[in-house]
Amino acid sequence: MNKKNITLIIIGLAAAAVLYIIISGSAKQVGSEPGDRAPDFSLPSYGSDEETALSDYGDSLVVLNMWASWCEPCVRELPALLEIHENYNEEGVEVITMNMNSYERTQEEAEAFAAEFNLTRTPSAIDMEGDVADAYQLQYLPTTVIIDRDGIIIEKIAGEITYERMEQIIEENI
């Protein structure tokens, strides 16, 4: 092999290495913070025998709200979440409400809460074992995670969120 061939091989390998670094660097890691790819889930739904899966809403901007029935801020913010769903659903915004069942006192209280607020009008999931709570590193209730159409977390809000704040985030990202 002559020097010219060796040089071409080295240049080719270097180009391949640079391309690999660029491609692998652009792939987002799955995680729970803004900029991470949102962990997927498939969970039972309230009022349905079907499951709610994040991957089913890949073309939507997703507002994922995690709640428990005893949580007063969860109760206060729920009307705003339902209003966001009504006002932005036709624009490709999906509100998914998710009961953190492992945080509940009783399943009956969670079911009564879901019925009281008619949560079946939006996708409504039940995290029975706390798997989603773990994947999203849930520390506070409520927590709202806003996920873009590519599955990347835009915002993670621990604590009560207002209609105006959700609307601002949505308007910046639709």
Side-chain angles (χ1 to χ4, degrees):
M1 213 184 267
N2 63 33
K3 286 184 179 184
K4 184 177 180 182
N5 288 342
I6 292 173
T7 302
L8 289 174
I9 291 171
I10 291 172
I11 290 171
L13 289 172
V18 168
L19 185 59
Y20 173 78
I21 290 169
I22 291 170
I23 290 172
S24 65
S26 66
K28 301 285 184 177
Q29 70 176 5
V30 174
S32 63
E33 297 302 320
D36 292 342
R37 178 162 302 287
D40 195 11
F41 56 80
S42 183
L43 297 170
S45 301
Y46 280 111
S48 169
D49 292 333
E50 296 184 19
E51 293 202 335
T52 298
L54 179 61
S55 56
D56 290 343
Y57 302 97
D59 294 338
S60 300
L61 183 98
V62 173
V63 177
L64 173 63
N65 177 260
M66 299 175 225
W67 59 270
S69 62
W70 51 262
C71 165
E72 289 184 30
C74 300
V75 174
R76 285 193 304 265
E77 75 179 5
L78 199 50
L81 287 156
L82 297 173
E83 188 176 353
I84 287 287
H85 175 74
E86 291 170 14
N87 294 342
Y88 285 94
N89 190 253
E90 289 184 13
E91 293 183 48
V93 176
E94 199 66 58
V95 174
I96 301 174
T97 59
M98 182 180 296
N99 173 249
M100 299 288 102
N101 199 263
S102 60
Y103 291 70
E104 287 291 353
R105 290 178 220 154
T106 68
Q107 178 61 34
E108 291 76 25
E109 288 179 14
E111 289 174 6
F113 181 94
E116 177 184 346
F117 286 98
N118 191 21
L119 293 183
T120 57
R121 46 186 164 156
T122 70
S124 187
I126 310 165
D127 185 16
M128 297 295 288
E129 304 298 323
D131 295 335
V132 173
D134 291 344
Y136 283 84
Q137 297 181 2
L138 185 66
Q139 295 179 4
Y140 303 99
L141 287 174
T143 291
T144 302
V145 180
I146 301 178
I147 304 162
D148 74 12
R149 297 174 197 282
D150 296 320
I152 306 302
I153 297 172
I154 299 169
E155 294 272 345
K156 181 178 178 183
I157 300 105
E160 189 173 347
I161 187 170
T162 64
Y163 180 93
E164 293 76 21
R165 179 69 180 123
M166 281 186 283
E167 184 175 53
Q168 176 188 9
I169 296 167
I170 289 167
E171 288 291 336
E172 290 171 359
N173 290 283
I174 57 173

